[in-house]
């Protein structure tokens, strides 16, 4: 299955925001990519430019069902990531994280593939410890609206570590913090895409609560570089490892920055804070820096500029085609 340095790589969730950027990077490195996606939140548009590439293959499949293919490496990214999408069908969200992980781990075990899990800062819940190191066990509500995602991802981590201990699988678990950039779904409700789209349309910017909650935002290219570095580490490096940008902002500050960078006439309005919304979040990235030699390089205003350009093009293409999304 391995020809020279080119590897056969399976990417689940490959038509999504992060997955499509990962597919791009893997193809540019000369690998064969099998992109598996059920198109719940991903779109063909994200990978349209890869469809003619002979090293790229697309398979519509739901990972809650078994999958029998060959691969040298697996990146398991399939799972809706935005609160409105993962809360739309919460039972399916848990099934995707848990049953999907079991299937992908079973596949990795059969073909002896190295397997990467896209975990999340949500495993820390609404944290009392700030910034969050990997050693922190988190503070997660097991029965709330975010639990399908948070507990699903926590269980997936457990499965990864048990397959590692019990079946000697080579695993790589990344805890991803809020990431943004081109190909985010314009209507998926995440804060960066919401604010940019609202600003470009001169609509009200919806800040939830007082906007004093914090997040730290990583630009997608930095994140994907972190994924690839983690996958390249030796078998002893399992993670979990935080990957994110440690520069922390309040949500109100993000809204003001987006208004300034877009030159928008939008006004900031407030909306109720969703239940269990974490008050603060910032990664401790010492482990990624020490073990992977990885540090994010693109700071917020530069990354927002790239995301704004993407959404400008996206919205004007939509307008001229009369599309309704
Ligand atoms: P996304 O919603 O754009 O992508 C998820 C992809 O998975 C979509 O293409 C979707 O159609 C697909 N999918 C969902 N359920 C599936 C299933 N059962 N079978 C097959 N495909 C399925 O989200 P994203 O931002 O690209 O996130 C990718 C991964 O990274 C997710 O696992 C998410 O939990 C994790 N993550 C992302 C962030 C972030 O800030 N973007 C933060 C933490 C963790
Ligand atoms: N599986 C899969 N593809 C494979 C191998 C396994 O989808 O190539 C699924 C299979 O359906 C199984 C799950 O992965 O339910 C877990 O596999 P494992 O071998 O760990 O356990 P078992 O087969 O004993 O349930
Ligand atoms: N948020 C907001 N307005 C929006 C969307 C989100 O104020 O239009 C807030 C949300 O309440 C949260 C933060 O921005 O405090 C990040 O939200 P997102 O859904 O992007 O990610 P997560 O909550 O999963 O970190």
């Amino acid at each position: 299955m391995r020809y020279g340095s080119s590897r056969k790589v399976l990417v689940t969730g490959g038509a999504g925001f992060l997955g499509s950027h990962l597919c791009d990077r893997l193809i540019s490195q000369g690998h064969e990519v099998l992109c598996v996606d059920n198109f719940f939140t991903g779109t063909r548009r994200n990978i349209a430019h890869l469809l003619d590439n002979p090293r790229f293959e697309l398979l519509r499949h739901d990972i809650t069902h078994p999958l029998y293919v060959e691969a040298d490496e697996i990146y398991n990214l399939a799972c809706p990531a935005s609160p409105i999408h993962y809360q739309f069908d919460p039972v399916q969200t848990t099934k995707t994280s848990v049953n999907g992980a079991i299937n992908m781990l079973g596949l990795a075990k059969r073909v002896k593939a190295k397997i990467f899990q896209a975990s999340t800062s949500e495993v820390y819940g609404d944290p009392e410890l700030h910034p969050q190191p990997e050693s922190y066990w988190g503070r997660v509500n097991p029965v709330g609206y975010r639990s399908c995602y948070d507990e699903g991802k926590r269980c997936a981590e457990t499965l990864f570590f048990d397959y590692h201990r019990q079946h000697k699988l080579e695993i790589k678990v990344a805890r991803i913090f809020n990431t943004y950039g081109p190909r985010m779904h314009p209507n998926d409700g995440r804060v960066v895409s919401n604010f940019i789209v609202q600003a470009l349309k001169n609509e009200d910017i919806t800040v939830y609560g007082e906007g004093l909650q914090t997040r730290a935002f990583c630009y997608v290219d930095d994140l994907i570089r972190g994924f690839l570095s983690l996958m390249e580490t030796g078998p002893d490096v399992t993670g979990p490892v935080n990957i994110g940008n440690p520069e922390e902002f309040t949500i109100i500050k993000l809204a003001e920055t987006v208004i300034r960078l877009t030159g928008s006439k939008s006004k900031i309005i407030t909306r109720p804070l969703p239940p269990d919304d974490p008050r603060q979040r910032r990664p401790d990235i010492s482990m990624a820096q020490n073990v992977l030699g990885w540090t994010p390089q693109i700071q917020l205003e530069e990354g927002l500029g790239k995301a704004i350009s993407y959404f400008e093009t996206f919205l004007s293409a939509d307008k001229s085609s009369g599309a309704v999304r």
Side-chain angles (χ1 to χ4, degrees):
M1 264 172 295
R2 200 180 281 252
Y3 306 104
S5 61
S6 168
R7 298 188 290 272
K8 191 162 177 54
V9 187
L10 165 62
V11 179
T12 77
F17 162 47
L18 299 181
S20 63
H21 285 276
L22 177 62
C23 289
D24 281 349
R25 285 297 303 275
L26 291 166
I27 288 287
S28 75
Q29 290 182 341
H31 302 302
E32 284 179 50
V33 173
L34 172 60
C35 167
V36 167
D37 205 296
N38 69 352
F39 296 112
F40 176 52
T41 50
T43 64
R44 286 175 73 86
R45 178 189 176 126
N46 285 343
I47 41 151
H49 57 288
L50 295 173
L51 292 174
D52 287 338
N53 190 309
R55 285 185 284 106
F56 183 81
E57 200 180 340
L58 173 63
L59 176 65
R60 180 190 282 262
H61 173 82
D62 183 325
I63 62 156
T64 61
H65 301 293
L67 176 66
Y68 287 82
V69 294
E70 305 304 310
D72 301 311
E73 290 180 355
I74 302 169
Y75 286 87
N76 187 35
L77 271 62
C79 185
S82 90
I84 59 168
H85 281 143
Y86 70 65
Q87 289 167 18
F88 175 76
D89 184 349
V91 173
Q92 170 69 9
T93 299
T94 303
K95 283 184 187 170
T96 295
S97 281
V98 177
N99 298 0
I102 292 174
N103 288 328
M104 292 308 104
L105 287 160
L107 168 58
K109 187 179 116 191
R110 179 177 62 78
V111 300
K112 300 188 172 42
K114 191 166 22 169
I115 181 164
F116 172 104
Q117 168 66 359
S119 190
T120 170
S121 53
E122 291 284 328
V123 302
Y124 301 122
D126 190 4
E128 308 102 326
L129 190 59
H130 194 71
Q132 295 81 52
E134 291 83 353
S135 54
Y136 178 51
W137 289 356
R139 188 165 77 106
V140 176
N141 175 357
V143 294
Y145 289 99
R146 296 176 86 103
S147 313
C148 58
Y149 184 75
D150 301 7
E151 297 289 21
K153 290 284 188 179
R154 285 171 68 96
C155 184
E157 287 200 9
T158 307
L159 285 161
F160 268 69
F161 278 85
D162 283 336
Y163 269 80
H164 171 67
R165 285 184 285 254
Q166 194 174 331
H167 298 301
K168 311 290 171 239
L169 242 63
E170 190 175 345
I171 61 160
K172 309 286 175 191
V173 177
R175 289 184 179 155
I176 304 165
F177 283 65
N178 297 63
T179 300
Y180 69 98
R183 301 189 199 147
M184 289 184 91
H185 196 297
N187 297 332
D188 80 359
R190 281 187 269 190
V191 69
V192 175
S193 44
N194 263 14
F195 285 3
I196 293 177
V197 170
Q198 289 164 343
L200 290 175
K201 292 180 166 175
N202 290 311
E203 292 173 355
D204 291 340
I205 305 260
T206 52
V207 166
Y208 300 159
E210 291 174 33
L212 299 179
Q213 69 274 35
T214 67
R215 296 291 187 273
F217 300 100
C218 186
Y219 188 68
V220 60
D221 291 358
D222 277 334
L223 189 88
I224 301 300
R225 201 165 38 79
F227 285 11
L228 297 170
S229 307
L230 178 57
M231 202 56 147
E232 287 307 314
T233 51
D236 292 348
V237 180
T238 57
V241 55
N242 290 338
I243 307 195
N245 189 318
E247 216 183 326
E248 185 180 1
F249 297 87
T250 60
I251 295 304
I252 195 86
K253 172 85 178 158
L254 177 73
E256 289 162 358
T257 307
V258 168
I259 290 175
R260 177 166 52 79
L261 294 179
T262 51
S264 173
K265 298 189 182 67
S266 296
K267 303 264 175 304
I268 294 176
I269 58 165
T270 55
R271 288 277 174 269
L273 193 64
D276 296 338
D277 199 279
R279 282 160 302 148
Q280 54 181 6
R281 184 184 292 154
R282 173 156 76 99
D284 177 334
I285 61 163
S286 322
M287 188 188 291
Q289 286 172 319
N290 296 334
V291 178
L292 311 179
W294 176 86
T295 299
Q297 286 164 359
I298 299 172
Q299 297 313 325
L300 189 68
E301 294 208 6
E302 184 188 351
L304 283 178
K306 293 170 194 264
I308 290 166
S309 303
Y310 168 79
F311 280 112
E312 272 170 344
T313 310
F314 185 93
L315 293 177
S316 62
D318 248 19
K319 215 188 239 167
S320 54
S321 73
V324 179
R325 280 163 201 271

